[in-house]
Amino acid sequence: MNIDKLISEMTLEEKASLLSGLDFWHTKPIDRLSIDKIMVSDGPHGLRKEKEGERGSIEATCFPTASSLACSFDRSLLEELGKALGSECIAENVSVILGPGANIKRTPLCGRNFEYFSEDPYLSGEMAASHIKGVQSMGVGTSLKHFACNNQEYRRMSVSAQIDERTLREIYLASFEIAVKKAKPQTLMCSYNKINGEYSSQNKKLLTDILRDEWGFNGLVMSDWGAVDDRVKGVAAGLDLEMPASGGKNDNIVIEAVKSGKLDEKYVDICARRVLELVDKHCDAKAPVSWDKEKDHELAGKIESECMVLLKNDGVLPLKTDESIAFIGEFAENPRYQGGGSSHINSYKVTSAVDAVKDICEVSFARGYVTDKDETDKALLAQAVEAASKCDKAVLFVGLPESFESEGFDRKHLRMPDCQLELIDEVCKVNKNVVIVLHNGAPIEMPFADKVSAILEGYLGGEAVGKAQVDVLFGKVNPSGKLAETFPRKLSDNPSYLNYPGEGDIVKYNEGIFVGYRYYDKKEIEPLFPFGFGLSYTTFEYSDIEVSHDELDEDQILTVRVSVKNTGSVAGKEVVELYVRDTESSVIRPDKELKGFEKTYLLPGETKQVVFKLDKRAFAYFDTSIMDWHIEYGKFEILVGSSSRDIKLSKSVYVAPKEEIPHRYTLNSLCCDVFANPLGKKLLYKALGLGKKGSKEEQAVEDFKILALGEMPLHSLVSFIPNDKISRATLSELVDILNAEA
Ligand code: BGC
């Protein structure tokens, strides 16, 4: 496609027509110029392609949702998933699959958290990047969504997320930034909400200044479905494609705006060009791929088995095939394995735990409860208790029913249905080996945590979830997932609690950068299960931490090496987590932040070295005075461990910035800030007659004086210090000297 030529030949009407969809899922073709349409479809963890001329979507593989995938901490697994998604898209002639979602989990109540990876921007960004790389390696495009700050479903189409700049950059945008820079998604989808009062769909700072000018994104931005407010403003802000179709209404508004001089035609050209560039990538027929539904079903099960998180095990797991076992709960037969809303897949087939266990051994089954209403069914409960009383081990398949969480609304609490809690209580009374297997898109409170013997968290595990559960329960697969978010003991422990869901259309992110474990750590709140936590059927020993430098400059790479040994008797995978702590800082910083992770497979007795590379961003914070990332000189601790609350090894390094941020002095500067500058200290001490004193007592008085003076602005010295060296003129001179020095 010769895009320059095409644009020069197109009428304004034709160019404007490209800026909105043909229908729900296609871009507009222009037959006169042989410009094709292309198809986009949801996303993210399976293909939801609508059937042509019929209601419903085609059959596809439902893979585990992002909440589960992130627990793998496994980049290559996400790439493998992406490749499978890409193949399904090619087989179905879909050019762009809408996902992944990289929004940060600010509150566990957000109904759509199952579609998002983590509370941590580094983990979320890395997982999203791997997902994108996998899909795009097949020649299929992705749409990283929902850019940005769509952190609640409540009033998602009108709410304004009020966020300070540093928090925006370090937490909410960083997740997208990593994915954009590392994986270059072909498209991004803007969010419904406003950020600091401006809709994302017409937010120039977001869509152009940051995304394109700072991060170098050169793909297309489409709107979330129906997210457009002021289309003309959106075109100028960098929203290339409105989805779905606007029935021609907004195209006409754009044409009128150009004709009346309200909108420069160059913006229409820019957006049209990006649509054409995307179409160009996809208009040639791709080599056909075979989509083996059985193979993808198996892959979905394999992936989930790598994601499940063993939260508790007093030795009851793994199960043995010669034990007498009861599977209890409707989810054992009819699992909840995906979320509700636009990502809902018409699954090729579903394997439940009851199906999967048949290949291994016999277990008894009791339904225990129903999911369509939260009421105890006395007969089902009695059967379940009876089954539990007759077996060695009772495995309860429980969690949140569809009606509890979905796209489009938030939860009000973190409780599981009462009827399921009652079932757990009753079963615990008759059996002391109770295993809980969870199905949920986001954290729940667990009043039963101390009573049961084991807890296996599977989130929403995709269509082959039952196979994965059985493989992990019986030890065919050794669990290796770690939590990608904190499980609080109670909802009110969550940092957003006081400010969620906001007032009317304003939600203030007052907790700032203290999202997830950054908050629990700093406040020393004991979570139910911490970020990064997960058990294994084996044990690991960490040793020999080495760093490549004790001191380095911000443009050098720090290499960190750690040895990990499998000290148990079965093979297993360990996620090794690396956090960085800034020990001296003039800005408020979290206790520690995740800056690296690696998953490693170890045979019993085997030792491997795990290597991390840390660049400037691992140490920097976003400094709003220079609107850039900055490192303050000082000591940083490199912490390596198996969870955010289980640091095994540490090492200190000193990191120096290329340039210090010059401090600008004025007559309003506090004396303590002048004292912090060696020249300022020398000059001001002299003018004020401060300095070393002879006796201890005199020195104590002097120190007290320095402290008190430190809190005074320079200009106030004129009134407080009767001294001919202190006048407004001499102080102005001092200010000039210090500013000139900087
Ligand atoms: C969702 C998007 C989705 C789109 C198309 C919207 O409501 O927010 O995530 O891709 O619908 O189904």
Side-chain angles (χ1 to χ4, degrees):
M1 216 186 244
N2 184 340
I3 294 177
D4 285 336
K5 184 159 176 282
L6 276 176
I7 291 184
S8 69
E9 284 170 9
M10 283 161 85
T11 62
L12 172 62
E13 287 70 14
E14 283 170 334
K15 287 186 284 190
S17 77
L18 288 180
L19 309 196
S20 65
L22 172 70
D23 51 27
F24 240 73
W25 306 111
H26 293 91
T27 58
K28 283 206 201 85
I30 301 181
D31 296 339
R32 181 179 81 83
L33 298 165
S34 307
I35 296 169
D36 248 339
K37 60 180 181 183
I38 59 164
M39 183 170 202
V40 303
S41 285
D42 283 306
H45 50 264
L47 180 59
R48 184 177 72 94
K49 179 185 173 185
E50 283 199 355
K51 288 185 187 157
E52 259 179 55
E54 265 185 80
R55 283 180 72 81
S57 48
I58 57 138
E59 242 175 38
T61 314
C62 179
F63 291 96
T65 63
S67 53
S68 185
L69 293 169
C71 296
S72 72
F73 279 70
D74 188 339
R75 297 175 184 89
S76 54
L77 192 74
L78 271 278
E79 278 197 43
E80 202 179 341
L81 160 94
K83 286 188 177 139
L85 289 172
S87 308
E88 296 197 12
C89 289
I90 296 170
E92 289 295 338
N93 206 15
V94 168
S95 299
V96 176
I97 181 164
L98 305 175
N103 294 99
I104 292 295
K105 298 179 198 230
R106 173 175 181 248
T107 166
L109 295 176
C110 173
R112 214 173 179 182
N113 274 1
F114 69 88
E115 268 187 78
Y116 301 139
F117 292 112
S118 180
E119 66 189 19
D120 179 81
Y122 176 73
L123 176 59
S124 174
E126 289 287 318
M127 292 287 102
S130 302
H131 175 127
I132 294 165
K133 279 187 199 164
V135 174
Q136 295 197 167
S137 70
M138 303 299 293
V140 172
T142 53
S143 196
L144 179 64
K145 64 190 187 180
H146 306 91
F147 190 54
C149 308
N150 182 180
N151 308 107
Q152 61 189 58
E153 289 298 279
Y154 179 77
R155 299 177 85 92
R156 68 171 165 167
M157 295 181 92
S158 60
V159 77
S160 178
Q162 304 296 119
I163 313 180
D164 68 88
E165 189 69 28
R166 185 175 161 209
T167 301
L168 189 62
R169 301 297 192 125
E170 288 189 20
I171 305 292
Y172 296 98
L173 294 188
S175 166
F176 289 91
E177 182 185 358
I178 293 168
V180 164
K181 288 182 173 169
K182 279 203 149 170
K184 302 195 180 1
Q186 289 182 7
T187 81
L188 247 89
M189 185 191 293
C190 78
S191 61
Y192 283 125
N193 51 283
K194 299 175 186 164
I195 302 173
N196 295 328
E198 185 65 284
Y199 276 115
S200 298
S201 60
Q202 56 204 44
N203 198 319
K204 177 173 172 293
K205 173 179 166 182
L206 187 74
L207 302 186
T208 297
D209 302 349
I210 296 178
L211 177 65
R212 299 179 191 281
D213 297 348
E214 284 187 31
W215 300 351
F217 176 73
N218 58 14
L220 169 142
V221 180
M222 68 179 80
S223 70
D224 197 345
W225 269 230
V228 166
D229 168 44
D230 179 335
R231 186 64 186 114
V232 172
K233 213 170 165 188
V235 170
L239 180 72
D240 306 306
L241 176 64
E242 172 181 14
M243 287 302 286
S246 72
K249 274 190 247 105
N250 277 337
D251 303 359
N252 290 336
I253 292 174
V254 169
I255 295 164
E256 277 316 305
V258 172
K259 286 188 175 158
S260 67
K262 201 176 147 204
L263 178 70
D264 191 328
E265 192 169 344
K266 79 173 185 202
Y267 293 113
V268 178
D269 289 3
I270 292 172
C271 295
R273 172 183 295 278
R274 294 197 192 115
V275 175
L276 290 175
E277 281 167 354
L278 183 69
V279 172
D280 191 31
K281 285 192 181 102
H282 297 285
C283 54
D284 293 338
K286 299 197 171 77
V289 295
S290 64
W291 168 17
D292 182 338
K293 294 186 181 176
E294 271 306 315
K295 212 171 113 217
D296 281 3
H297 182 75
E298 249 175 56
L299 177 64
K302 183 198 104 172
I303 292 176
E304 173 62 3
S305 69
E306 301 280 321
C307 297
M308 300 189 86
V309 188
L310 184 61
L311 294 174
K312 178 174 182 183
N313 184 19
D314 67 7
V316 73
L317 292 180
L319 302 172
K320 293 175 198 67
T321 47
D322 57 0
E323 291 167 332
S324 76
I325 296 163
F327 277 9
I328 295 171
E330 179 166 344
F331 284 159
E333 198 176 38
N334 181 19
R336 174 146 182 267
Y337 62 93
Q338 65 171 324
S342 58
S343 66
H344 198 92
I345 305 299
N346 175 14
S347 307
Y348 159 58
K349 71 175 188 187
V350 180
T351 302
S352 71
V354 166
D355 295 331
V357 79
K358 285 181 190 143
D359 295 338
I360 299 186
C361 63
E362 258 188 42
V363 303
S364 62
F365 171 67
R367 197 170 163 211
Y369 60 87
V370 289
T371 48
D372 51 4
K373 53 181 189 297
D374 184 7
E375 263 171 39
T376 297
D377 180 316
K378 292 247 158 47
L380 292 182
L381 178 63
Q383 283 163 18
V385 171
E386 158 118 21
S389 68
K390 287 190 184 146
C391 63
D392 296 334
K393 293 178 179 172
V395 186
L396 267 71
F397 293 76
V398 292
L400 299 177
E402 284 245 347
S403 59
F404 272 54
E405 59 180 348
S406 167
E407 176 181 344
F409 65 88
D410 289 344
R411 281 186 294 167
K412 296 257 180 304
H413 58 76
L414 299 185
R415 292 191 300 279
M416 270 174 38
D418 289 336
C419 65
Q420 295 190 30
L421 293 176
E422 187 181 352
L423 171 71
I424 298 172
D425 271 351
E426 294 305 312
V427 165
C428 283
K429 285 181 191 158
V430 298
N431 192 309
K432 50 184 188 356
N433 294 319
V434 174
V435 177
I436 300 290
V437 180
L438 290 169
H439 309 65
N440 45 310
I444 48 169
E445 288 167 0
M446 298 189 205
F448 49 80
D450 291 336
K451 271 193 246 170
V452 299
S453 298
I455 304 172
L456 183 61
E457 174 60 79
Y459 281 99
L460 302 177
E463 63 178 46
V465 62
K467 171 81 167 73
Q469 289 166 336
V470 166
D471 281 352
V472 171
L473 286 170
F474 285 87
K476 184 172 171 208
V477 174
N478 188 350
S480 61
K482 301 266 181 101
L483 288 181
E485 63 186 312
T486 310
F487 273 50
R489 287 190 178 274
K490 53 185 189 309
L491 176 62
S492 57
D493 285 347
N494 178 267
S496 71
Y497 184 70
L498 294 177
N499 296 293
Y500 164 88
E503 292 167 339
D505 281 334
I506 299 286
V507 53
K508 295 183 182 160
Y509 286 33
N510 284 352
E511 68 284 358
I513 55 172
F514 294 101
V515 176
Y517 67 88
R518 288 167 170 75
Y519 175 81
Y520 295 95
D521 280 0
K522 196 89 172 182
K523 287 278 290 180
E524 299 179 347
I525 294 173
E526 203 49 48
L528 181 60
F529 297 107
F531 176 83
F533 173 78
L535 302 168
S536 164
Y537 294 149
T538 187
T539 47
F540 300 99
E541 198 179 272
Y542 288 55
S543 65
D544 303 324
I545 183 167
E546 287 168 22
V547 288
S548 57
H549 304 70
D550 296 326
E551 286 197 33
L552 68 155
D553 295 331
E554 68 173 38
D555 44 15
Q556 288 177 301
I557 299 287
L558 182 74
T559 305
V560 181
R561 292 192 164 80
V562 175
S563 293
V564 184
K565 180 176 184 188
N566 181 346
T567 48
S569 53
V570 287
K573 291 184 180 172
E574 171 70 334
V575 175
V576 183
E577 301 164 34
L578 184 151
Y579 297 84
V580 172
R581 172 182 291 151
D582 187 354
T583 64
E584 306 155 25
S585 173
S586 67
V587 296
I588 298 165
R589 297 201 70 172
D591 176 59
K592 62 178 175 303
E593 297 182 273
L594 184 76
K595 296 296 173 184
F597 59 85
E598 292 299 331
K599 195 167 193 171
T600 184
Y601 175 73
L602 294 162
L603 294 169
E606 191 183 8
T607 302
K608 274 188 192 154
Q609 198 176 53
V610 177
V611 182
F612 301 94
K613 301 262 179 204
L614 302 182
D615 64 9
K616 172 179 174 181
R617 275 295 282 275
F619 304 97
Y621 70 95
F622 190 83
D623 192 297
T624 50
S625 71
I626 53 167
M627 287 301 274
D628 204 352
W629 297 90
H630 179 67
I631 297 178
E632 265 188 337
Y633 177 75
K635 184 163 116 184
F636 291 83
E637 273 170 19
I638 310 298
L639 310 167
V640 177
S642 74
S643 95
S644 63
R645 292 286 172 112
D646 188 8
I647 299 303
K648 310 266 192 199
L649 302 167
S650 70
K651 201 89 185 169
S652 297
V653 296
Y654 284 82
V655 188
K658 252 214 211 108
E659 282 174 35
E660 293 286 359
I661 300 174
H663 189 98
R664 300 300 303 168
Y665 296 90
T666 67
L667 286 177
N668 291 331
S669 296
L670 290 186
C671 290
C672 59
D673 293 332
V674 178
F675 295 158
N677 175 316
L679 179 62
K681 182 174 170 182
K682 191 172 144 206
L683 297 176
L684 198 52
Y685 267 37
K686 196 167 165 209
L688 294 170
L690 299 170
K692 278 242 165 313
K693 295 289 169 221
S695 73
K696 240 179 157 184
E697 290 71 22
E698 279 171 339
Q699 188 61 51
V701 174
E702 188 73 353
D703 289 348
F704 181 78
K705 208 161 130 195
I706 292 169
L707 267 184
L709 279 167
E711 295 305 319
M712 291 183 187
L714 285 176
H715 68 77
S716 72
L717 299 178
V718 178
S719 343
F720 287 116
I721 312 290
N723 170 341
D724 60 3
K725 289 198 196 91
I726 301 287
S727 68
R728 245 186 124 78
T730 55
L731 290 170
S732 291
E733 236 172 76
L734 172 69
V735 164
D736 289 346
I737 293 171
L738 295 181
N739 286 337
E741 188 214 22

